[in-house]
């Protein structure tokens, strides 16, 4: 398997090899965002890529939205689309090196982009970054996918085995409002830090 480092991810964006990128806010995450009332909460989108979700949040008055990604190209793409998005909220570094508190973390393709050997570390880091009773909400692929390159898949039983000891599981169900080509292949989940 290739090394999934900054160069790998940047090249995927430069060469438009980002087929997972919807080119818009994912409908299930948009539905979730639209019911949020407090626009001052600190929100992180890890491995955010082009992060249409960050742009959507920012354009709807959320003032504390942060995106972390290894790819400078992806972060620059956000800035091009949303020039007023605070530059210091676009963080180019390794997710596991981040040290900031968040009320909400939105998961959109990051978990399944990580080498599966990092999944336990991901869960621990998410817990570390979230404030007491903070939420991790988003989408996970509900299918096997690849063994040798991203995206890496899984299923509800597998994901629960990672999350159940560190988070209260509020929801982890098949997504009813996925885009058509992902229908039946995504789980929407919402977990709360214990």
């Amino acid at each position: 398997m290739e090394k999934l480092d900054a160069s790998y991810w940047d090249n995927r964006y430069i060469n438009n090899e980002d087929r997972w990128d919807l080119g818009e806010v994912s409908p299930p995450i948009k539905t979730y965002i639209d019911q949020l009332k407090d626009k001052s909460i600190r929100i992180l989108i890890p491995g955010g890529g082009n992060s249409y979700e960050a742009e959507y949040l920012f354009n709807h008055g959320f003032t504390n939205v942060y995106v972390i990604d290894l790819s400078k190209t992806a972060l620059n793409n956000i800035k091009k689309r949303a020039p007023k998005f605070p530059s210091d909220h676009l963080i180019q570094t390794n997710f596991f090196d981040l040290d900031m508190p968040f009320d909400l973390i939105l998961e959109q393709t990051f978990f399944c982009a990580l080498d599966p050997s990092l999944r336990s570390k991901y869960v621990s880091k998410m817990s570390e970054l979230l404030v007491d009773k903070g939420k991790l909400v988003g989408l996970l692929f509900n299918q096997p996918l690849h063994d040798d390159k991203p995206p890496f898949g899984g299923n509800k039983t597998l994901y629960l085995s990672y999350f159940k000891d560190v988070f209260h599981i509020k929801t982890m169900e098949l997504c009813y409002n996925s885009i058509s080509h992902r229908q039946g292949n995504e789980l929407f989940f919402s977990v709360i830090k214990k």
Side-chain angles (χ1 to χ4, degrees):
M1 180 165 44
E2 269 189 87
K3 188 174 179 187
L4 305 178
D5 59 9
S7 175
Y8 172 87
W9 289 109
D10 212 42
N11 283 330
R12 289 194 69 164
Y13 285 101
I14 289 167
N15 298 318
N16 293 314
E17 295 171 359
D18 52 358
R19 290 181 302 276
W20 63 88
D21 188 314
L22 301 179
E24 62 181 293
V25 180
S26 174
I29 293 180
K30 179 183 180 296
T31 299
Y32 179 80
I33 291 169
D34 287 346
Q35 55 84 40
L36 294 173
K37 302 283 187 257
D38 183 355
K39 296 194 174 184
S40 69
I41 60 172
R42 288 174 63 92
I43 302 171
L44 174 66
I45 303 174
N50 288 322
S51 201
Y52 300 94
E53 289 75 17
E55 179 185 10
Y56 183 80
L57 284 159
F58 180 73
N59 289 338
H60 285 82
F62 288 83
T63 56
N64 288 306
V65 180
Y66 294 79
V67 179
I68 185 169
D69 203 285
L70 288 173
S71 171
K72 185 173 183 62
T73 300
L75 295 172
N76 285 341
N77 289 344
I78 299 167
K79 195 68 177 166
K80 284 177 195 165
R81 292 191 327 268
K84 293 184 179 178
F85 195 99
S87 295
D88 60 339
H89 289 204
L90 298 172
I91 305 166
Q92 184 190 4
T93 195
N94 187 311
F95 163 76
F96 295 105
D97 295 332
L98 189 63
D99 184 19
M100 296 172 72
F102 295 95
D103 302 293
L104 172 64
I105 300 177
L106 293 176
E107 167 58 55
Q108 166 67 341
T109 71
F110 180 55
F111 183 88
C112 295
L114 287 173
D115 186 300
S117 68
L118 295 172
R119 288 181 170 182
S120 292
K121 188 175 178 184
Y122 164 103
V123 171
S124 297
K125 186 65 178 180
M126 287 296 180
S127 178
E128 177 189 315
L129 292 172
L130 285 165
V131 300
D132 189 40
K133 296 193 167 87
K135 292 181 182 176
L136 171 59
V137 176
L139 299 169
L140 298 167
F141 287 118
N142 187 40
Q143 57 188 34
L145 298 173
H146 307 287
D147 291 326
D148 61 338
K149 64 179 180 182
F152 303 100
N155 57 54
K156 181 177 178 176
T157 302
L158 176 65
Y159 299 142
L160 286 173
S161 73
Y162 286 109
F163 289 103
K164 66 182 172 54
D165 293 333
V166 182
F167 290 92
H168 294 290
I169 311 298
K170 187 175 173 192
T171 303
M172 189 174 292
E173 299 299 333
L174 269 180
C175 206
Y176 70 88
N177 56 347
S178 297
I179 60 168
S180 59
H181 69 276
R182 289 190 184 169
Q183 200 64 244
N185 294 319
E186 287 183 313
L187 295 170
F188 179 83
F189 78 106
S190 175
V191 297
I192 302 169
K193 180 177 176 173
K194 285 187 177 179

